[in-house]
Amino acid sequence: MDLFDSLGFSGNNLMKLFSKVPRILEIDAVTVVEFFRGHGFTGKQISMLTLKWPTLYLYNAPKTFKPKLEYFKSLGFSDGEIAQMLSSEPYILARSLEKCIIPSVQVIKRVVGTNDNVLKVIKGCYRVLEYDLEKVLEPNVATLTSLGVPESKILKLMFLQPRSLLLRTYQFSEVVAEVEKMGFDPAKLLFVLAIRSLAVLGNSWERKLGVYHSVGLSKEE
């Protein structure tokens, strides 16, 4: 109980935590907290982890989480960057290292080419590691390539708004088709900027106008 008090949980918040994971009272939560503290997580970040994903206390932290932290460090992330990423998106820790995380990183590298670019993409959108990228990212990139979108423009989209490339393939194809109808040239930067905007805004007429405005065009243009 004192442990969770030290993390800022009390009263209703504490009761909600225990109601979500009743077994938390039966396990050695101190070991889990000390594990994360030993890997550079602040008290606030551990509190965020606890709030967002309380079932983490049911895992053997050294056995389950340590290999994942070590892998991220091998990619070039600092301890502080790893703590920031995982406290923001703790569900990454629930994914299999061998079956999910490593394959996702490999897909990103196939698309962006270098380790530095891989880090840039992940830092720009932590949630990219929560998708099956072989089923969404690669097919969506292939769609752009088939239309003649230059690799440099695809990279630009990856860096600006990777989530727009994480739509389901049929949704992404619909967005791309709409951008083509709007008259954007696949060889130009405005094409991927329009995809970015439409993927976020949707495709009503008012939102389409928002796309034109977002890429610097007036209603008349």
Side-chain angles (χ1 to χ4, degrees), residues 1 20 26-27 34 64 67 86-87 115 120 137 145 170 177 179 183 189 214:
M1 192 74 73
K20 288 181 179 178
E26 306 168 9
I27 58 180
E34 289 305 315
T64 305
L86 297 179
S87 60
N115 290 333
K120 188 174 180 179
L137 180 60
T145 301
Y170 77 88
V179 169
L189 178 60
S214 73

Side-chain angles (χ1 to χ4, degrees), residues 34-80:
E34 289 305 315
F35 168 82
F36 285 107
R37 281 180 176 156
H39 285 83
F41 286 68
T42 65
K44 183 177 180 180
Q45 288 171 330
I46 296 172
S47 296
M48 290 173 64
L49 271 171
T50 302
L51 186 64
K52 293 180 178 180
W53 191 43
T55 52
L56 70 92
Y57 289 95
L58 303 181
Y59 289 80
N60 181 323
K63 179 180 179 181
T64 305
F65 302 145
K66 186 177 180 180
K68 297 171 186 177
L69 269 58
E70 289 178 340
Y71 176 67
F72 287 126
K73 199 162 186 177
S74 75
L75 293 176
F77 287 97
S78 67
D79 287 338

Side-chain angles (χ1 to χ4, degrees), residues 3 61 80 82 86 119 151 178 186 203 220:
L3 173 67
I82 293 170
L86 297 179
L119 293 181
E151 181 180 342
E178 199 60 47
N203 62 359
E220 289 72 20

Side-chain angles (χ1 to χ4, degrees), residues 1-22:
M1 192 74 73
D2 290 341
L3 173 67
F4 294 105
D5 285 339
S6 72
L7 294 175
F9 290 89
S10 60
N12 289 336
N13 285 338
L14 194 59
M15 294 309 296
K16 287 180 181 178
L17 175 63
F18 292 156
S19 67
K20 288 181 179 178
V21 190

Side-chain angles (χ1 to χ4, degrees), residues 83-122:
Q84 175 62 36
M85 174 174 64
L86 297 179
S87 60
S88 298
E89 294 293 338
Y91 296 111
I92 293 171
L93 284 170
R95 306 202 81 208
S96 165
L97 178 60
E98 292 78 14
K99 295 180 180 180
C100 300
I101 296 175
I102 292 176
S104 290
V105 170
Q106 290 172 337
V107 170
I108 296 171
K109 188 170 183 179
R110 287 199 292 271
V111 173
V112 301
T114 69
N115 290 333
D116 286 344
N117 283 345
V118 169
L119 293 181
K120 188 174 180 179
V121 169
I122 296 174

